[in-house]
Amino acid sequence: MNDREEFSPIRWDDGLKLLDQTLLPREEAWIDCATPEIIADAIYRLAVRGAPAIGVTAAYGLVVGLRTAGEGQEPRERFAEVSELLGATRPTAVNLRWALERGRRVFDEHVDRGAAAVIAALLDWAHGLHAADVASCRAIGDFGAELFVAGDRVLTHCNTGALATAGYGTALGVITSSFRAGRLAQVWVDETRPLLQGARLTAWELGRLEIPYKIVTDSSVGILMARGLVDRAVVGSDRIAANGDAANKIGTYTAAVLANRHGVPFYVAAPLSTIDRDTPTGDQIPIEERPADEVTHVFGADVAPDRAPAANFAFDVTPNELITAIITEEGVLEPPYNESIAAAFARQAGEERT
Ligand code: MRU
């Protein structure tokens, strides 16, 4: 393991610090998260982003919340208040709800031992979640690399690297592992409008990792595939339904339809914490809609007529029949996903018991 691999956008140094991803790649500045309001704001404005990174941030956010409870405020009341504040920030990324729900179980188990004890237990748990997310990403990378063959040119969308997780990344973890195994020649990086997570963040990470890449506009996917320049595509997900339908950054569905049209394998890489078995199909996944000015403005510059109306869906849903396989820390899942997903959770439960 070298220092690049251990890179994480989330740090705990007797307090939470988050790398402000809105400033990348120009500036590397860390936000001091002294209150849960600062954390909720960082999640909402995408200073920290990517479903697994949001989940781990929320876990530490519960600790910060309890530490900053008002004089004489009941821990139960404070926990509910902070959990609601953090939970309201981003509706599609299920890792957020997943982490808050697990945090509640830890809280319930320890709260009767007093505020200091419950805070210590939650901090231990948050550190564990952080480490477990990195381990999941590494396993996803190893399983995913097996699907690649030497010389592959891979397309990816949005940012799914160390920045979007506790470290190493999901789809970008697969790309990293494949490159290191000598099976990857080049990455096509979709710029990912409107907030340019591909052009700003994925390109930044690939540069640090010394993996060859080219940025393309999102609308280039058709010509790249039509010309036979893409051998496979791998993306992340914010929420995968029980039937394998996967929500991810807007534009993913378009890329999946094109991949299907051109016979390009299309993989989704995600930890089991992104699979929401309470959501039967993609139709029930809530899709975040963000302010119109993210579309009408490009980094502060107004590119549309004054007061031009705009729609800003942050995610879309790729139906399971367009997904060749889902790469998880429990292995590569193949259709029918209802069955392979249930089996992966059963395997994980078995491992946790032993
Ligand atoms: O709006 P963002 O930047 O949080 O969207 C992120 C994505 O769409 C990622 O692909 C997804 O969260 C998986 S990150 C490992």
Side-chain angles (χ1 to χ4, degrees):
M1 193 188 286
N2 65 38
D3 60 345
R4 283 179 311 187
E5 290 174 326
E6 286 167 2
F7 172 77
S8 175
I10 305 162
R11 283 187 192 157
W12 184 267
D13 180 13
D14 198 34
L16 180 65
K17 291 191 173 39
L18 297 171
L19 180 61
D20 188 344
Q21 300 187 28
T22 64
L23 303 177
L24 288 175
R26 301 278 164 256
E27 201 183 319
E28 287 177 41
W30 291 79
I31 304 167
D32 247 315
C33 297
T35 67
E37 286 74 18
I38 295 174
I39 300 169
D41 179 60
I43 298 174
Y44 178 71
R45 62 186 184 84
L46 274 54
V48 60
R49 39 138 314 272
I54 294 169
V56 173
T57 299
Y60 286 119
L62 293 173
V63 177
V64 174
L66 287 177
R67 276 179 158 193
T68 53
E71 189 73 27
Q73 189 179 19
E74 267 292 298
R76 278 182 210 283
E77 186 199 333
R78 180 64 173 164
F79 186 89
E81 181 177 278
V82 171
S83 195
E84 199 183 314
L85 172 77
L86 297 172
T89 50
R90 299 205 69 191
T92 306
V94 76
N95 302 61
L96 174 60
R97 202 185 70 194
W98 177 91
L100 293 174
E101 169 56 24
R102 271 163 184 73
R104 191 188 54 76
R105 288 185 211 159
V106 176
F107 177 85
D108 287 346
E109 196 183 321
H110 295 275
V111 64
D112 292 339
R113 295 171 45 224
V118 76
I119 290 171
L122 273 168
L123 183 57
D124 265 6
W125 163 77
H127 285 320
L129 205 67
H130 192 144
D133 187 59
V134 179
S136 294
C137 287
R138 288 180 179 282
I140 289 169
D142 288 347
F143 284 121
E146 295 297 317
L147 301 167
F148 283 62
V149 295
D152 270 352
R153 296 149 306 170
V154 65
L155 178 104
T156 193
H157 193 68
C158 197
N159 172 266
T160 59
L163 288 171
T165 59
Y168 201 70
T170 56
L172 214 65
V174 170
I175 286 171
T176 305
S177 298
S178 305
F179 180 72
R180 290 183 180 157
R183 301 191 190 123
L184 187 132
Q186 195 219 296
V187 187
W188 294 110
V189 177
D190 282 358
E191 61 172 352
T192 318
R193 271 283 285 152
L195 297 179
L196 302 174
Q197 289 93 330
R200 294 188 303 111
L201 308 177
T202 300
W204 184 76
E205 290 203 54
L206 289 172
R208 285 167 64 104
L209 294 163
E210 297 173 17
I211 300 176
Y213 70 87
K214 273 189 189 151
I215 300 170
V216 286
T217 55
D218 298 339
S219 41
S220 300
V221 177
I223 190 161
L224 290 179
M225 290 189 179
R227 290 192 172 184
L229 298 172
V230 183
D231 300 298
R232 51 199 86 237
V234 58
V235 299
S237 178
D238 279 74
R239 188 185 302 219
I240 300 173
N243 71 343
D245 294 348
N248 193 47
K249 180 53 57 193
I250 192 80
T252 302
Y253 172 45
T254 322
V257 171
L258 284 161
N260 182 260
R261 169 80 171 82
H262 294 285
V264 173
F266 191 91
Y267 305 116
V268 173
L272 294 195
S273 53
T274 298
I275 302 182
D276 179 11
R277 284 180 298 167
D278 295 335
T279 298
T281 75
D283 289 346
Q284 291 87 40
I285 298 178
I287 299 296
E288 178 180 356
E289 291 184 47
R290 295 187 58 86
D293 64 5
E294 290 181 352
V295 174
T296 55
H297 291 62
V298 179
F299 285 87
D302 193 351
V303 294
D306 280 350
R307 289 182 298 281
N312 187 6
F313 296 98
F315 301 97
D316 56 27
V317 175
T318 299
N320 59 19
E321 68 266 23
L322 298 180
I323 301 170
T324 311
I326 301 175
I327 307 164
T328 74
E329 72 274 35
E330 287 295 334
V332 176
L333 315 187
E334 287 177 354
Y337 291 116
N338 269 318
E339 288 170 23
S340 55
I341 286 174
F345 276 98
R347 267 197 309 281
Q348 188 185 55
E351 283 154 19
E352 279 168 7
R353 270 196 300 277
T354 53

